[in-house]
Amino acid sequence: MDNPTDKIRCDACPVLCYIREGMLGACDRYANRGGVLTRTDPHVLLERTLEGGGSLVPFLPSSRDWDGRVVREPSTFVTAIGAGTTYPDYKPAPFIVSSEVDGVDMVTVVTEGIFSYCGLKVKIDTDRHLGPETAAVRVDGEQIGHVTTAEYGSQMLSLGGVRHLTGGSKKEGRVTCEAMLALANCKPVEVSVDSGATLIIEAGKAPIINGVKEERMRVGCGSATIGMFAKQWMGLVDEVVVVDDHITGVLSEHQAGKFLGVPDTGIKMKGHRSTPGRYFKVAQPGTGWGGTDLADPLAILKPFDPKEAWAGLRLLMVSTTGEHYAYFELDEALAPVEKELPPALKLSVDRIQENCDPALSSVLFMAGAGGSLRAGVTENPVRLTQSVKQALTRVTAGGAPCYVWPGGGITYMVDVTALPENAFGSVPTPALVAPIEFTMTKADYAALGGHMDEVRTLEDITRNATKKRIAV
């Protein structure tokens, strides 16, 4: 099919749109303006300056000429946001920029990657059960990922990836791409977990689980809570049970209690005893006490041993966030009777809450840059990979530091809240478009076979920049 005279063809991604005069392509990132293919988003430069409202806290005397940074960087950094792509990948990167840092000639290679091989690793700070491990995570009924292993005080989700983007139905790919793009750009997304919770995720904000905003990440497991606060309970209470879906702690049996001389109380627990004072599986996972399905904490207690327990024994039961707590005293039949929490014990519950970090949703963008975009850096792509692994080349995304996984390729992760606003885009292949920069010395760039003829000076780039973003 011949290209109609009133259209131009965009070659920035595999979709290869024909775009009429004054119209946008499918990605909303390129337009036909006067017959010229034009990037609609401005190219972003980061100017590191205190004018952005930030502050530095040096630890050396003020007489020293130091601005608080461990590693010096150019005062202006050319990001890949709005730079454009190298598709179909044999072309040099859109910007290959030279600058001088402390007398050393540096080069930063700037490009936007079109990533079909990308996903999000999401950390939800909560004790509540979101769903069984491997359970599907859905948006609009389409699976976009799954629940993965729980970490200390957090539930982890793995979202996106090539199988959801390209391996399912057309709708699954579209929904996955749209949800990933919104999350990567720090927008809220509502997801549901099969046989689990519904939650609203927004990077850098508290998660909303089943309509309730989470406040605190747990201080630790039940055993750790016993260890941290055992001494503060001495003289105030005879027994403490910290209810936790993973490891429930019991003060009188725990090593911390033994070291402090807490006497046996005759308490008998349901669940699987692991080591002294540490119990597994006291209840089923849920959204109640300590991430269990408990509404009544007494449900995990067996009758007290009459050989050791006594009438008037004081028992505190508390969750790992301090959100749930109850105080009991044993009656003459050694049955727990709930009483008002004494003020001194309220202080200890408040201390548990105080030591809980605020609950957040953390979103890390993860992608494989070990493929064709390397050709935009060098004609021998494997040398870029080798240079990154040898720590000769620094990888950033929109100026934000990245973690590069060991092993083959350049698989990197970046905290999406560290990037400038709306740093990510998408194309309907479907795939996400993400900024990536490679910075190294000019000598190392030449040694790996870089496109030296395409190098432009930082002064030239800044002189022609259409917009600057200010950051610290």
Side-chain angles (χ1 to χ4, degrees):
M1 175 180 176
D2 294 332
N3 184 8
T5 56
D6 63 338
K7 298 179 181 179
I8 59 174
R9 191 167 196 176
C10 175
D11 61 357
C13 86
V15 175
L16 301 174
C17 296
Y18 284 108
I19 308 175
R20 293 183 183 276
E21 164 66 31
M23 302 296 289
L24 294 168
C27 66
D28 292 333
R29 297 165 57 246
Y30 287 90
N32 181 343
R33 290 180 178 168
V36 177
L37 184 65
T38 305
R39 186 73 159 86
T40 58
D41 296 329
H43 184 209
V44 175
L45 308 184
L46 293 180
E47 184 176 330
R48 290 180 169 83
T49 170
L50 295 181
E51 293 175 5
S55 62
L56 299 174
V57 185
F59 58 85
L60 294 176
S62 58
S63 59
R64 303 284 187 91
D65 184 17
W66 185 63
D67 64 2
R69 287 178 290 179
V70 177
V71 178
R72 287 191 179 275
E73 297 174 335
S75 58
T76 301
F77 183 80
V78 181
T79 81
I81 302 170
T85 70
T86 63
Y87 191 82
D89 299 320
Y90 65 85
K91 299 182 293 185
F95 292 91
I96 303 176
V97 184
S98 66
S99 60
E100 185 178 296
V101 181
D102 290 343
V104 179
D105 289 330
M106 304 293 291
V107 168
T108 298
V109 184
V110 172
T111 188
E112 288 179 302
I114 302 172
F115 293 107
S116 296
Y117 291 88
C118 70
L120 303 176
K121 305 306 175 192
V122 181
K123 173 174 171 281
I124 306 295
D125 295 337
T126 182
D127 242 5
R128 303 178 209 284
H129 182 64
L130 299 184
E133 194 169 309
T134 75
V137 176
R138 300 183 185 275
V139 171
D140 295 337
E142 298 294 328
Q143 183 174 359
I144 68 165
H146 65 274
V147 178
T148 185
T149 53
E151 304 301 343
Y152 204 68
S154 305
Q155 301 290 306
M156 312 296 287
L157 309 178
S158 182
L159 306 181
V162 68
R163 295 187 186 278
H164 292 298
L165 284 169
T166 69
S169 67
K170 185 174 182 180
K171 182 182 178 184
E172 180 182 342
R174 176 182 58 79
V175 170
T176 298
C177 187
E178 290 174 354
M180 288 175 58
L181 178 61
L183 287 169
N185 281 329
C186 301
K187 305 284 177 35
V189 172
E190 181 174 304
V191 306
S192 62
V193 180
D194 285 3
S195 301
T198 297
L199 58 156
I200 298 175
I201 304 168
E202 183 176 357
K205 301 288 183 65
I208 299 173
I209 302 171
N210 293 333
V212 179
K213 184 178 180 180
E214 190 66 274
E215 292 185 5
R216 288 179 291 274
M217 176 183 178
R218 71 178 184 175
V219 68
C221 69
S223 173
T225 307
I226 292 286
M228 282 187 278
F229 299 104
K231 193 171 183 180
Q232 300 181 35
W233 288 317
M234 296 301 294
L236 303 178
V237 68
D238 301 303
E239 184 67 277
V240 178
V241 176
V242 183
V243 181
D244 177 26
D245 175 43
H246 305 134
I247 307 173
T248 290
V250 179
L251 175 63
S252 64
E253 298 179 7
H254 195 279
Q255 195 75 348
K258 294 299 184 186
F259 281 170
L260 292 170
V262 177
D264 293 335
T265 63
I267 193 168
K268 299 296 180 183
M269 300 288 299
K270 296 179 182 179
H272 297 177
R273 188 172 186 263
S274 167
T275 56
R278 302 170 74 249
Y279 289 84
F280 302 159
K281 299 178 72 173
V282 298
Q284 294 299 312
T287 58
W289 279 65
T292 71
D293 61 351
L294 291 173
D296 178 10
L298 295 179
I300 65 175
L301 299 186
K302 298 178 182 178
F304 279 74
D305 186 345
K307 296 179 183 179
E308 297 176 325
W310 62 92
L313 185 151
R314 301 165 296 174
L315 168 65
L316 171 66
M317 301 190 77
V318 65
S319 69
T320 50
T321 60
E323 177 182 351
H324 298 94
Y325 56 87
Y327 173 72
F328 305 89
E329 293 181 4
L330 299 193
D331 62 14
E332 294 297 328
L334 303 183
V337 177
E338 187 166 4
K339 305 278 188 178
E340 185 176 349
L341 185 71
L345 283 181
K346 181 62 166 64
L347 289 175
S348 73
V349 172
D350 291 344
R351 181 65 58 84
I352 292 174
Q353 296 180 359
E354 179 187 349
N355 278 268
C356 294
D357 287 318
L360 292 178
S361 300
S362 304
V363 179
L364 298 185
F365 175 77
M366 181 172 173
S372 53
L373 72 76
R374 294 174 300 170
V377 181
T378 169
E379 294 180 355
N380 193 355
V382 72
R383 289 189 178 179
L384 176 61
T385 305
Q386 294 165 350
S387 181
V388 169
K389 297 305 169 65
Q390 294 166 5
L392 298 176
T393 295
R394 183 190 185 207
V395 182
T396 54
C402 297
Y403 171 78
V404 179
W405 283 65
I410 304 172
T411 302
Y412 73 99
M413 294 194 306
V414 63
D415 177 2
V416 300
T417 64
L419 278 74
E421 183 179 353
N422 293 322
F424 294 86
S426 68
V427 293
T429 51
L432 255 58
V433 179
I436 188 167
E437 303 97 27
F438 301 97
T439 302
M440 68 210 81
T441 68
K442 194 170 186 179
D444 285 335
Y445 187 55
L448 61 81
H451 303 291
M452 298 301 294
D453 292 343
E454 302 294 329
V455 175
R456 298 164 59 188
T457 65
L458 179 61
E459 290 76 14
D460 179 44
I461 298 296
T462 54
R463 188 182 308 117
N464 294 289
T466 58
K467 183 179 181 181
K468 292 184 181 182
R469 294 278 180 93
I470 304 300
V472 176

